């Protein structure tokens, strides 16, 4: 069993670099932390490469660690690798899944994000998409990086529950249309109230940037654009809240 | 016109203390920052006492500054008073409204929060309550402080649009019932799916703590408890998202 004694260990330096997007992309790996997330990740065969755990913590006995390297380390190493205020003393190094040829099938429910920049919003929307039983999430141009610690944390593990793909939004809108899935954009100014749509077994819903909304280009590619009526004096809804209202309404 | 030259000025030290809840309660004042929030606050007569603005910024000409003291300061003072990463160079000192004898009227829509601890969640729910046209928000035991900078920021100004009261949740549940307003709790385990309820013109909706949900005590005081079905593998929804789905559903 490997044991790491110091934060100056080369492995620790390498792992810590995974806090940066560029390093994640170069190495094809990302870092997750905490018992709950690692437990979720272990359910996917071959996702986790290494688990690093503090000497003063223990691995739950029901974890299946086939093909996973388990490394113990002094607690300071785990503090060094953590990006949270209260580290749980355990992290794992995971492989970024290869961008497979995920295809859209008929009758699916899809969430497309256009330039959603806040990591908490992206993560929360993935969590809600999972809860609402959606089949696929597409992260279009300008979205926060899926493998940043804040996005991962906000998904609460849902990033391991459904396929999430970075892609070109116009192409994916086209693919949805080819499967005869209705594509709904969202806009504060134009479109129709969401509840004029009849819920159906399939849809592609697009949410846009926190400040600017969806790009004009994509608003013109949809079958219909929707808005959520504002009954009070606020100017808009949080995009994650809007996504939740729409996903649960549309699925009926 | 007053001008402040240094971050060591006594006034600056006093204002900065308003970042702490205890100081806000002792002084009966709180601090807001940014042009948008201050513009919203100016619409309420007598709310703002003082506006402090950096020498390199200017006050929009259409602001009505009756009864408001305007103070200029060197930009460093504004950096000192700000709690954001990109300060806008303007803050205002506001009076905490006296807890008036706000009463529940028949046919109102109400949001009650039970021990919601995350300031972002509390702020987002107030913003959504405003958007959904609710009449009143009650912050029960254990909720994040309404006047903390993060709650204020997350409301996006909605804290100035509807009455928000700290109170004893059991008492307010009772007051709602006296007006024949149906009281709905939320629970992951018990209750009925929310969409079995017929939307109506009035309701009191209660959301609970991020981890533990609503207190058992309050779950027993409601007319009906609701849950949002989970169709995928996630364990729960973000509480702010759940609140949005329910408020928009219930108002019909």
């Amino acid at each position: 069993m490997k044991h790491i004694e110091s934060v100056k260990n080369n492995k620790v330096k390498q792992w810590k670099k995974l806090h940066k997007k560029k390093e994640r992309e170069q190495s094809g790996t990302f870092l997750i932390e905490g018992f709950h997330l690692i437990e979720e990740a272990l359910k996917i065969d071959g996702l986790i490469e290494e688990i690093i755990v503090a000497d003063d913590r223990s691995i739950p006995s029901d974890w299946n660690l086939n093909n996973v390297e388990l490394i113990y380390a002094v607690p300071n190493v785990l503090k060094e690798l953590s990006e949270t205020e209260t580290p749980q003393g355990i992290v794992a190094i995971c492989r970024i899944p290869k961008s497979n040829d995920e295809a859209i099938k008929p009758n699916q429910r899809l969430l497309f994000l256009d330039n959603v920049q806040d990591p908490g919003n992206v993560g929360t929307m993935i969590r809600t998409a999972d809860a609402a039983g959606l089949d696929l999430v597409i992260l279009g141009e300008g979205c926060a990086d899926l493998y940043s610690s804040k996005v991962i944390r906000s998904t609460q593990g849902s990033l391991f529950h459904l396929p999430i793909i970075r892609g070109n939004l116009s192409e994916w809108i086209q693919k949805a249309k080819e499967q005869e899935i209705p594509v709904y954009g969202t806009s504060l100014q134009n479109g129709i109230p969401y509840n004029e749509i009849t819920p159906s077994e399939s849809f592609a819903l697009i949410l846009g940037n926190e400040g600017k909304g969806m790009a004009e280009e994509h608003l013109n590619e949809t079958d219909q654009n929707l808005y959520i009526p504002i009954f009070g004096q606020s100017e808009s809804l949080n995009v994650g809240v809007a996504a939740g209202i729409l996903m649960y309404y549309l699925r009926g």
Side-chain angles (χ1 to χ4, degrees), chain A:
Chain A
M1 186 83 68
K2 257 194 213 162
H3 188 266
I4 294 182
E5 310 279 346
S6 159
V7 296
K8 289 180 182 159
N9 182 295
N10 269 335
K11 276 271 208 183
V12 177
K13 286 180 190 164
Q14 281 304 119
W15 291 327
K16 204 182 164 185
K17 285 186 185 163
L18 297 179
H19 295 167
K20 297 218 170 86
K21 181 178 177 186
K22 195 180 138 198
E23 296 286 339
R24 291 193 291 269
E25 290 183 347
Q26 279 180 3
S27 66
T29 58
F30 64 103
L31 190 152
I32 62 176
E33 57 176 297
F35 285 91
H36 173 66
L37 270 178
I38 294 174
E39 190 164 301
E40 292 294 308
L42 278 170
K43 292 177 188 164
I44 300 176
D45 217 33
L47 183 67
I48 294 185
E49 287 185 351
E50 294 163 308
I51 292 176
I52 304 105
V53 61
D55 292 327
D56 55 356
R57 303 299 159 102
S58 55
I59 298 287
S61 56
D62 58 349
W63 281 14
N64 177 352
L65 298 182
N66 278 350
N67 299 318
V68 173
E69 186 172 15
L70 183 61
I71 300 170
Y72 280 85
V74 294
N76 265 350
V77 165
L78 277 299
K79 280 195 194 123
E80 186 76 9
L81 294 174
S82 172
E83 289 187 278
T84 61
E85 282 176 29
T86 50
Q88 291 186 39
I90 187 164
V91 306
I93 312 300
C94 303
R95 290 176 195 90
I96 293 180
K98 296 263 178 261
S99 56
N100 39 18
D101 302 319
E102 198 73 38
I104 294 178
K105 300 180 196 80
N107 298 326
Q108 286 192 321
R109 297 183 178 96
L110 317 165
L111 176 67
F112 294 174
L113 303 188
D114 175 20
N115 196 19
V116 178
Q117 291 177 339
D118 180 81
N121 285 338
V122 170
T124 299
M125 286 195 269
I126 291 170
R127 178 180 175 191
T128 309
D130 178 14
L134 269 65
D135 301 291
L136 179 68
V137 176
I138 301 295
L139 303 181
E141 301 78 12
C143 289
D145 183 36
L146 176 59
Y147 299 109
S148 75
S149 67
K150 213 177 158 194
V151 172
I152 294 173
R153 207 156 55 238
S154 304
T155 69
Q156 296 263 322
S158 288
L159 86 156
F160 303 127
H161 297 160
L162 75 172
I164 304 164
I165 300 171
R166 277 182 279 196
N168 176 296
L169 220 50
S170 295
E171 285 176 26
W172 283 94
I173 290 171
Q174 196 48 43
K175 288 183 193 185
K177 286 181 167 178
E178 282 163 12
Q179 298 299 335
E180 296 181 4
I181 295 175
V183 179
Y184 300 118
T186 47
S187 168
L188 277 178
Q189 279 81 35
N190 296 301
I192 60 171
Y194 71 98
N195 50 9
E196 289 185 10
I197 297 288
T198 306
S200 69
E201 59 180 331
S202 92
F203 58 82
L205 172 68
I206 314 176
L207 275 296
N209 178 266
E210 289 85 352
K212 292 178 288 184
M214 273 178 63
E216 195 67 29
E217 175 197 355
H218 299 312
L219 282 171
N220 293 330
E221 294 167 336
T222 61
D223 292 307
Q224 178 68 58
N225 295 322
L226 310 177
Y227 71 88
I228 299 178
I230 302 288
F231 300 98
Q233 299 171 64
S234 79
E235 287 167 16
S236 63
L237 288 160
N238 167 279
V239 67
V241 172
I245 293 169
L246 293 172
M247 283 190 265
Y248 266 87
Y249 176 79
L250 288 172
R251 76 154 292 136

